[in-house]
């Protein structure tokens, strides 16, 4: 029962951060700011959701799988954001040279 | 309990609505990049819908092949596209409207046909009980795998043949362009992810015998590893560089499947009728080789032709 309550609380918190990230994606003026909002807020949201789900696992093996999935998602999202940012940075520099 | 059912119902309606909207947006968007992104999101939502329909196998395949690989193929195509403008329809409006009406008529006919056969299907479309009754003789304990590799092995063999035909067409397009130039962060990620993907492919293949998974999902994961390598700057994407090995890999899935079928026919068993005692091993052999073929085929499809090194 206490675990269920903790799960619900953490999941709701995580959702809040996901929604915040979405708001940033919608409202921020330039792509770098949007990327920043999205990666920061989403990673925290994902962490909270995963922690919330950890209270529901039947055994340790499940917990390990969850944590592995979480780590993979973190690394992938960080590298993704980095790639998009580098690409944009290059594009803007290229524009400056041609101008 | 009722409240929970209601919530699920609302979620399902939302999913269907989002799916329809995404499909329309992807088709109607005039910007190709945007269309492509929408298509990828559409694939992911479709995977969710399959999951809600309690079909994890199809959900896995949709996420890996439909959204993942389909998206990668579209991106590779866009990259080759030299003129980046949006499509202007050069056709006469009469032609466009005519085509639209024709499609609608065809769609209506298909829908009508489906509805007319539904009453007859009612008694037969739930084959679950029959599959479960025969499962013990299939060599595997997962009903989906049993149907795909044993009871309806025909269909799977032909699917592999379709992939083979497709890659032959792609290879007829000539040689692949130079590899991508990439970021250090990405090559490092590839170094970590590729072994993991190969491991996952092996697991998904093995798991197919008793839970969701199988050759197509595993092959898609291998192809993911190949595409990662290609994007990280390895020009041959981890594929063998000798020509005959590549050709062998592409053909082996369909070929061995066919040979096993014919061999069993010659043995007096009937085409692809495995003897019960060895069914599991035949299925495992075919699935393993099919995984290799599918992985290679999809990787080469992403590269879009014959790699330079192989040509030498």
């Amino acid at each position: 029962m206490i675990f269920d309550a903790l799960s619900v609380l953490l999941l709701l918190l995580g959702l809040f951060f996901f929604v915040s990230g979405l708001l940033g994606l919608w409202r921020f003026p330039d792509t770098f700011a949007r990327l920043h909002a999205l990666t920061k807020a989403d990673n925290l949201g994902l962490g909270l959701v995963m922690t919330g789900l950890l209270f529901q696992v039947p055994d340790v093996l499940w917990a390990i799988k969850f944590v592995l999935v979480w780590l993979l998602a973190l690394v992938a999202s960080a590298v993704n954001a980095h790639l998009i940012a580098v690409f944009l940075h290059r594009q803007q520099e290229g524009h400056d040279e041609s101008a | 309990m009722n409240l929970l059912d209601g919530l699920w119902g609302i979620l399902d309606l939302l999913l269907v609505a989002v799916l329809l909207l995404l499909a329309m947006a992807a088709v109607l968007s005039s910007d190709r990049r945007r269309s492509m992104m929408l298509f990828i999101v559409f694939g992911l939502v479709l995977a969710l819908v399959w999951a809600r329909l309690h079909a994890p196998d199809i959900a896995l395949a949709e996420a890996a092949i439909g959204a993942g690989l389909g998206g990668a193929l579209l991106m590779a195509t866009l990259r080759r596209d030299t003129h980046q403008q949006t499509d202007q329809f050069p056709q006469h409006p009469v032609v466009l409207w005519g085509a639209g009406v024709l499609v609608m008529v065809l769609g209506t006919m298909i829908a009508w046909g489906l509805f007319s056969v539904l009453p007859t299907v009612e008694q037969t479309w739930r084959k679950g009980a029959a599959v479960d009754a025969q499962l013990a003789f299939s060599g595997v304990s997962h009903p989906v795998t049993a149907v795909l590799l044993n009871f309806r092995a025909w269909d799977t063999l032909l699917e592999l043949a379709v992939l083979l035909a497709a890659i032959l067409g792609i290879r007829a397009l000539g040689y692949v362009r130079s590899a991508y130039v990439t970021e250090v962060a990405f090559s490092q990620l590839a170094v970590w992810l590729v072994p993991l993907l190969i491991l996952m492919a092996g697991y998904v293949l093995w798991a197919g015998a008793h839970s969701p998974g199988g050759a197509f999902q595993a092959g898609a994961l291998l192809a993911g590893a190949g595409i990662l390598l290609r994007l990280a700057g390895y020009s041959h994407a981890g594929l063998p560089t000798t020509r005959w090995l590549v050709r062998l890999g592409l053909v082996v899935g369909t070929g061995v499947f066919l040979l096993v079928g014919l061999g069993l026919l010659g043995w007096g068993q009937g085409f692809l009728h495995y003897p019960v005692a060895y069914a599991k091993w035949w299925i495992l052999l075919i699935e393993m080789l099919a995984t290799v073929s599918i992985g290679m085929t999809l990787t080469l499809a992403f590269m879009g032709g014959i790699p330079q090194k192989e040509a030498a």
Side-chain angles (χ1 to χ4, degrees):
Chain A
M1 199 64 227
I2 181 83
F3 279 175
D4 287 358
L6 270 171
S7 274
V8 169
L9 187 73
L10 285 164
L11 287 174
L12 284 175
L13 259 176
L15 274 180
F16 168 76
F17 280 101
F18 270 115
V19 172
S20 316
L22 264 180
L23 275 177
L25 180 68
W26 260 329
R27 305 286 303 158
F28 280 0
D30 70 89
T31 314
F32 291 114
R34 285 192 210 125
L35 263 182
H36 181 84
L38 204 58
T39 44
K40 285 271 191 296
D42 276 13
N43 280 345
L44 189 53
L46 184 71
L48 286 163
V49 166
M50 277 301 190
T51 320
L53 289 175
L54 275 179
F55 285 109
Q56 299 293 323
V57 292
D59 57 40
V60 180
L61 259 180
W62 269 89
I64 293 170
K65 281 184 201 169
F66 263 90
V67 172
L68 278 177
V69 169
W70 180 13
L71 286 177
L72 263 180
L74 276 181
V75 171
S77 118
V79 172
N80 253 328
H82 175 77
L83 286 176
I84 294 171
V86 165
F87 175 75
L88 268 173
H89 188 63
R90 280 215 196 114
Q91 239 190 357
Q92 286 176 2
E93 278 193 340
H95 280 305
D96 290 346
E97 281 165 28
S98 61
Chain B
M1 203 60 234
N2 266 337
L3 174 74
L4 205 61
D5 285 348
L7 281 176
W8 276 121
I10 291 169
L11 180 77
D12 290 347
L13 282 176
L14 264 176
L15 271 177
V16 171
V18 167
L19 196 65
L20 281 172
L21 282 173
L22 280 169
M24 285 180 59
V27 172
L28 295 175
S29 169
S30 57
D31 178 25
R32 280 187 209 157
R33 266 172 208 287
R34 180 165 296 184
S35 286
M36 191 192 72
M37 294 291 175
L38 285 165
F39 173 80
I40 294 172
V41 180
F42 168 83
L44 290 172
V45 176
L46 191 58
L48 274 180
V49 170
W50 284 120
R52 275 295 297 141
L53 288 168
H54 302 290
D57 285 89
I58 309 178
L60 270 174
E62 177 58 46
I65 301 170
L69 272 159
L73 284 174
L74 285 172
M75 280 195 198
T77 314
L78 256 184
R79 184 173 172 265
R80 289 176 157 230
D81 196 25
T82 40
H83 36 89
Q84 294 280 1
Q85 302 109 346
T86 54
D87 271 336
Q88 293 298 329
F89 290 112
Q91 282 92 353
H92 200 270
V94 174
V95 177
L96 275 180
W97 277 100
V101 169
L102 194 69
V103 168
M104 274 195 258
V105 170
L106 270 176
T108 316
M109 278 165 69
I110 292 169
W112 179 76
L114 280 175
F115 275 117
S116 64
V117 297
L118 265 181
T120 56
V121 171
E122 283 295 344
Q123 304 104 32
T124 54
W125 83 288
R126 279 254 172 241
K127 288 279 187 200
V131 171
D132 284 340
Q134 295 290 322
L135 199 55
F137 307 108
S138 73
V140 288
S141 58
H142 190 54
V144 175
T145 309
V147 170
L148 286 183
L149 267 299
N150 199 333
F151 308 143
R152 299 291 305 253
W154 258 113
D155 298 3
T156 312
L157 173 60
L158 289 175
E159 277 175 10
L160 285 170
V162 166
L163 271 183
L164 184 62
I167 197 63
L168 290 178
I170 289 169
R171 284 167 77 81
L173 292 173
Y175 296 121
V176 174
R177 291 198 190 170
S178 56
Y180 294 71
V181 181
T182 184
E183 282 296 304
V184 176
F186 188 73
S187 351
Q188 284 303 309
L189 180 73
V191 166
W192 278 90
L193 273 183
V194 167
L196 203 64
L197 278 166
I198 295 170
L199 190 71
M200 273 164 72
Y203 171 75
V204 168
L205 173 67
W206 181 252
H210 54 80
S211 54
F216 277 87
Q217 288 88 335
L221 284 171
L222 279 185
I227 289 171
L228 262 178
L229 282 170
R230 171 93 180 141
L231 291 176
Y234 294 90
S235 58
H236 58 99
L239 294 168
T241 46
T242 34
R243 188 187 294 189
W244 66 270
L245 264 177
V246 176
R247 290 179 176 178
L248 183 73
L250 290 175
V251 173
V252 77
T254 316
V256 170
F257 207 155
L258 199 59
L259 285 177
V260 167
L262 291 172
L264 290 167
L265 191 63
W267 212 253
Q269 291 277 356
F271 188 71
L272 287 172
H273 268 264
Y274 320 105
V276 176
Y278 300 106
K280 179 183 177 169
W281 301 108
W282 285 122
I283 288 177
L284 193 66
L285 174 78
I286 289 170
E287 285 229 293
M288 270 167 70
L289 296 173
T291 301
V292 172
S293 279
I294 292 165
M296 267 187 158
T297 302
L298 295 173
T299 307
L300 279 165
F302 175 77
M303 290 158 81
I306 302 171
Q308 296 284 9
K309 277 195 176 169
E310 189 197 328

